Amino acid sequence: MATIMCGGRATRMKSGTEKPLLKVDGVAMVERVVSALADSRKFDRIVAAVSPSTPKTKEFLEARGIKVVETVGEGCSQDLSSLLARLRPAKVLVVPADVPLLSVQVISDISGIASTGPAISVVMEKKFVQSIGIKPSVLLTLDGRNYCHSGITIFDTAKITSGTVKERYVIMNRIEVAVNVNTKEELELAEKLLVQRA
């Protein structure tokens, strides 16, 4: 199963449009993510987690036949925890709605990662993220090196036994997972990179 997180408030975007619905090269970011997941043919179902902050995203996805799960909108980690509890027991690939360059190939590569624990998260080296013009947001340090979290994680909910989930990390320095749109500048960069890739 794949789950798309679509509940953020998008305060940094300063836009009247809900962030998942912002368009990159004429297509809503969330639609690009849905297409990549569906075209990969790796999942028996795709669900989207929305919140009270994203009612138009909910309508948009339901109109396209995507099952929607409503969260309370307390923040990504809290919403994700309650969502995973509802989806037990299942293996779930969690993807943010704001990674518009996500591709079928990357999803296939991520799906092929051997699952050995409750969570495997995709990270990139901080210097790689900065080299493509993205300002790193979620940072972590592993073995003295700085990494950025992509927001993409494979959860095995049957192995989650407590409130704190022990993550294993996989380094994937790929533009497709590094471009996580949180600002207008990053939206413009995503558009530029998508056009270059075409």
Side-chain angles (χ1 to χ4, degrees):
M1 174 192 318
T3 298
I4 307 166
M5 300 302 290
C6 306
R9 291 187 179 89
T11 52
R12 286 178 281 179
M13 294 300 297
K14 295 180 174 64
S15 168
T17 305
E18 293 171 16
K19 186 162 70 161
L21 298 180
L22 289 171
K23 293 184 177 181
V24 177
D25 197 25
V27 180
M29 286 197 292
V30 71
E31 188 169 359
R32 289 187 173 281
V33 173
V34 167
S35 294
L37 292 168
D39 292 348
S40 76
R41 303 188 189 284
K42 296 285 183 186
F43 308 101
D44 58 349
R45 61 185 171 135
I46 299 169
V47 300
V50 297
S51 77
S53 300
T54 54
K56 291 181 181 175
T57 300
K58 177 186 175 189
E59 288 175 21
F60 179 87
L61 292 166
E62 287 178 332
R64 282 152 180 79
I66 300 295
K67 179 175 171 48
V68 171
V69 176
E70 295 192 46
T71 66
V72 293
E74 293 177 347
C76 188
S77 60
Q78 294 92 331
D79 289 351
L80 180 57
S81 293
S82 67
L83 176 69
L84 292 174
R86 284 191 253 175
L87 298 176
R88 291 183 79 168
K91 286 191 179 178
V92 183
L93 173 67
V94 174
V95 180
D98 54 7
V99 284
L101 302 185
L102 195 64
S103 68
V104 169
Q105 184 58 57
V106 168
I107 290 167
S108 295
D109 293 345
I110 292 169
S111 299
I113 297 168
S115 177
T116 56
I120 300 170
S121 294
V122 176
V123 299
M124 298 87 47
E125 291 175 279
K126 179 184 175 185
K127 62 184 179 182
F128 169 75
V129 174
Q130 290 174 318
S131 75
I132 57 175
I134 298 286
K135 183 178 178 184
S137 52
V138 183
L139 294 173
L140 59 145
T141 303
L142 304 170
D143 300 324
R145 291 186 169 185
N146 293 320
Y147 295 90
C148 305
H149 204 297
S150 67
I152 300 172
T153 302
I154 302 169
F155 289 95
D156 186 342
T157 61
K159 294 180 181 176
I160 297 174
T161 56
S162 66
T164 304
V165 178
K166 184 165 175 57
E167 290 177 88
R168 185 166 71 90
Y169 300 101
V170 173
I171 301 164
M172 189 175 279
N173 289 335
R174 304 270 288 269
I175 287 174
E176 295 93 328
V177 296
V179 180
N180 187 302
V181 175
N182 290 302
T183 65
K184 288 182 179 179
E185 293 77 20
E186 289 168 351
L187 185 65
E188 290 167 7
L189 176 62
E191 178 112 14
K192 177 182 169 186
L193 292 171
L194 193 66
V195 169
Q196 286 176 359
R197 191 174 75 176

